[in-house]
Amino acid sequence: MRNKFNISIIFFVLLVFCIQILLPTITFLKFSLVPDVLIVFLTYVGIYKYRYETVIISFILGLIQDFSTQNELLGIMAFSKSITGYGLGTLSLYIDIWSVYFRMLFIFVIFSIHFFIYNFIKMNSFAIPFATMMEIVILNSILSFFILLIIDKFIMKNSISKK
Amino acid sequence: MPLKSRIPYSYINKDFLVLVIAITISLVILFSNKSPSVLKLKHQVIWVLGKLSSPIYWYKNLLIIKEKNKLLKDEVMRLTLLNSEMIGYHRENIRLKELLNFKQKDSISYQIARVIKYQLGVTNHSFNIDIGFLESIEKNMPVLDENGLLGKTIYVEDNSAMIQVITDKNYRVSIRVGNERVLGIFMPTHGRFGILEGVRKTTPLLKGDIVYTSGISEIYPPNIPVAEVISTSQTLNDPFQTVIVKLLAELNDLDFIFVIL
C-alpha cells in the first residue's frame, strides 16, 4: 500500500492547496511572510512515501503553485520544491536511525534551502543586500518549521518528533 | 521475469533519476521566462559554467593554436598585400574627398572580447563575453566577428556581458543591399539563414551580393556586413521580392569577438 498513489493523497493535496491559498500574509519585522503549508505537507509525504514519490509530488505541487500564484517566474517553485522533496524524501530512509534533534535540524536545513533557492532567484534582479535576503529566508523557515511543530504535536501525534 | 533482464534496472537510482527529470523540466520552464531575475540568473549560470570550463577551453585552444597560427600567418600575408593596395586607394580617396569637400568621419572604435561558450534557454540564442561596464561596454552595442554582424549586447555587468545573437527569432536589423543600396529589414529564419523584408521587386540582386547595415538604426553604424544573398524570388501579387540570405558571421566556433563602442 505504501508505494501506491491512492485517493487520500490527492484529497490531501487539494486540501493543503486550498489552505495555502487561503492563508493570509504575515507582516513581521517589515517583511511580508506567507506561511508555506505545502512544504509542511511535503515533510509528511517524505516520511510516509518513497523518496521518488516525494520528488514527483513536490514537483507537481510546485508547478501548480507556480501557475496559480505568479507568471513571471514560472518553474521557480517546481525547481525549489523538487530539490526540497528529494531532501525530505531522505527522511523516510533514516527516520529510525537519526535522533529526534538531528531529524529536526535536518528538516529546518531543508526548509532553509528551499526558501534560499526561491528568494535568491526571486530577488536576483533587485538590489537587496544578501543579509536582508538571508533574514527573509530564516524567518520563512522558522515560520514553516513552527507550523510543522504545531501540526506534528496536535494533529499528527508526534510522527516526526517521536523519540 | 528472468534475472538477466532485471539487472540493468537495478543499477538505476530511481530517486536521483526522478529528481534530475523534475529539475530539468523546472529549469526549462524557468529559463524560458523573460523576466529580469531570470535573465540575470541565466547570466550568472553562464558565467559560472564559463569559469569552470575555462581550463578545458584553454587546453583545446592549445591544441589548435598551431594550426590557427599558420592560417593567420597566411591571412596576414594576404592582408598585408591587400593593405598596401588599400593604402593607395585611401590616399586617392582622401584626395578625391578633398576635391569634393567631403567631411571626415570618425573611425569606429571597438573592444576585443573572449566568448564564454554556453547557451541557455529554450527559444533565445545568447552567449556571454568576458568584458563589461569596466571596459566601457553598454547595453545595445553591436557585436561583430571578423566576418560580419554577430549580435548586440543585451545585459551588461562589471566584467561580463550577455550577447543576443543575430539568429534569435526576435532579432531585426535595418539593412541596405544591392548596387542601388535599397533599404530592407533582415529577419533570421533558421540556423545561419534569414530573409530580407521590404526589398522592392525592381531592385536587381545577384547571388553573392553583400547585405550591409543601413545606419538608420541608433544601434548599428552603417556598412557593417551582415549576410550574403543566396536566392531571390518574386510573386505576381507582392510588390516586394523574397530574398533569402546567409549570415556572414561564423556562429559555430566563436572565440574572440569585437564590440563596437
Side-chain angles (χ1 to χ4, degrees):
Chain A
M1 288 296 283
R2 188 179 182 274
N3 61 348
K4 284 187 180 174
F5 286 94
N6 49 31
I7 198 83
S8 63
I9 193 96
I10 298 168
F11 169 75
F12 277 118
V13 165
L14 290 172
L15 180 72
V16 169
F17 212 83
C18 289
I19 295 170
Q20 179 66 53
I21 290 167
L22 294 172
L23 276 175
T25 304
I26 300 165
T27 307
F28 181 73
L29 293 175
K30 81 193 172 190
F31 302 120
S32 295
L33 310 171
V34 182
D36 196 337
V37 186
L38 289 174
I39 200 171
V40 175
F41 172 69
L42 288 174
T43 311
Y44 287 102
V45 174
I47 291 171
Y48 294 117
K49 294 280 177 189
Y50 285 121
R51 186 156 61 177
Y52 76 92
E53 290 175 336
T54 314
V55 175
I56 293 169
I57 294 168
S58 308
F59 172 73
I60 293 167
L61 277 177
L63 210 58
I64 297 169
Q65 203 174 2
D66 272 328
F67 282 101
S68 59
T69 54
Q70 41 90 25
N71 60 1
E72 276 206 336
L73 294 167
L74 291 178
I76 183 174
M77 275 295 181
F79 176 65
S80 61
K81 284 226 158 38
S82 299
I83 293 171
T84 310
Y86 187 82
L88 293 172
T90 310
L91 273 176
S92 66
L93 305 174
Y94 300 102
I95 194 150
D96 296 326
I97 301 167
W98 289 344
S99 69
V100 64
Y101 298 110
F102 187 78
R103 231 181 283 154
M104 289 301 184
L105 178 70
F106 181 80
I107 292 169
F108 186 77
V109 170
I110 295 290
F111 281 15
S112 303
I113 291 170
H114 169 265
F115 288 112
F116 177 79
I117 294 169
Y118 175 71
N119 285 293
F120 178 78
I121 298 172
K122 192 183 169 189
M123 297 172 184
N124 207 6
S125 62
F126 307 124
I128 293 175
F130 187 75
T132 312
M133 192 196 78
M134 284 310 290
E135 271 182 70
I136 297 168
V137 169
I138 298 293
L139 284 173
N140 270 309
S141 306
I142 290 171
L143 181 63
S144 296
F145 194 71
F146 186 65
I147 295 168
L148 175 76
L149 288 180
I150 292 170
I151 291 173
D152 197 57
K153 183 83 181 165
F154 296 107
I155 301 172
M156 298 303 289
K157 298 175 183 171
N158 295 322
S159 50
I160 291 177
S161 55
K162 68 181 174 198
K163 299 271 182 183
Chain B
M1 191 184 283
L3 186 64
K4 255 189 175 178
S5 62
R6 274 191 193 173
I7 289 169
Y9 297 105
S10 66
Y11 287 111
I12 297 171
N13 186 341
K14 207 193 291 180
D15 300 343
F16 193 68
L17 184 70
V18 169
L19 176 71
V20 169
I21 293 168
I23 285 178
T24 309
I25 296 169
S26 327
L27 287 178
V28 167
I29 298 170
L30 185 63
F31 282 132
S32 59
N33 292 311
K34 298 274 181 190
S35 70
S37 298
V38 174
L39 195 68
K40 191 172 178 186
L41 180 72
K42 221 187 259 189
H43 175 80
Q44 287 164 339
V45 172
I46 293 170
W47 186 83
V48 170
L49 290 176
K51 286 286 169 195
L52 290 175
S53 66
S54 56
I56 300 167
Y57 283 114
W58 177 81
Y59 182 69
K60 274 185 182 172
N61 284 341
L62 211 66
L63 294 176
I64 59 167
I65 212 156
K66 245 185 175 177
E67 197 182 338
K68 222 169 188 178
N69 196 29
K70 187 174 171 285
L71 289 171
L72 284 172
K73 272 185 178 172
D74 287 348
E75 187 72 7
V76 166
M77 180 52 75
R78 195 181 66 79
L79 288 174
T80 310
L81 294 172
L82 189 68
N83 197 32
S84 58
E85 194 181 337
M86 297 296 269
I87 288 168
Y89 288 139
H90 181 62
R91 282 180 189 148
E92 190 180 338
N93 193 25
I94 290 169
R95 198 168 54 81
L96 289 170
K97 273 184 176 175
E98 280 170 359
L99 287 172
L100 293 167
N101 204 17
F102 262 50
K103 280 186 181 173
Q104 185 71 32
K105 279 188 179 175
D106 291 337
S107 60
I108 293 169
S109 60
Y110 58 85
Q111 281 275 12
I112 300 174
R114 194 174 71 82
V115 174
I116 304 166
K117 285 184 184 175
Y118 274 98
Q119 291 192 19
L120 288 173
V122 181
T123 53
N124 62 335
H125 297 257
S126 58
F127 62 81
N128 275 25
I129 56 172
D130 64 346
I131 57 172
F133 275 130
L134 298 180
E135 287 83 11
S136 313
I137 305 298
E138 287 171 14
K139 197 181 170 185
N140 284 333
M141 281 182 163
V143 177
L144 323 178
D145 71 353
E146 58 272 25
N147 301 314
L149 186 67
L150 199 59
K152 65 177 181 183
T153 54
I154 50 168
Y155 183 82
V156 185
E157 283 207 340
D158 283 351
N159 284 311
S160 59
M162 187 184 270
I163 309 300
Q164 184 186 26
V165 183
I166 194 166
T167 52
D168 191 309
K169 293 283 177 283
N170 303 313
Y171 213 99
R172 301 287 182 272
V173 185
S174 170
I175 53 91
R176 284 186 188 277
V177 67
N179 289 334
E180 294 177 9
R181 293 181 59 78
V182 291
L183 281 168
I185 302 284
F186 168 80
M187 289 170 61
T189 51
H190 178 72
R192 287 182 70 185
F193 295 95
I195 54 166
L196 303 184
E197 278 204 339
V199 179
R200 288 192 316 268
K201 228 181 208 177
T202 49
T203 309
L205 288 180
L206 295 170
K207 187 183 174 185
D209 275 356
I210 303 294
V211 178
Y212 295 95
T213 51
S214 67
I216 291 173
S217 147
E218 286 180 2
I219 300 174
Y220 309 102
N223 298 322
I224 296 174
V226 179
E228 67 172 323
V229 175
I230 298 293
S231 68
T232 58
S233 59
Q234 299 179 357
T235 51
L236 271 176
N237 299 328
D238 196 349
F240 303 109
Q241 55 183 313
T242 309
V243 185
I244 298 173
V245 294
K246 187 181 177 187
L247 288 170
L248 293 170
E250 184 56 62
L251 301 164
N252 294 327
D253 192 24
L254 293 170
D255 46 8
F256 289 94
I257 52 108
F258 310 93
V259 183
I260 294 185
L261 304 175

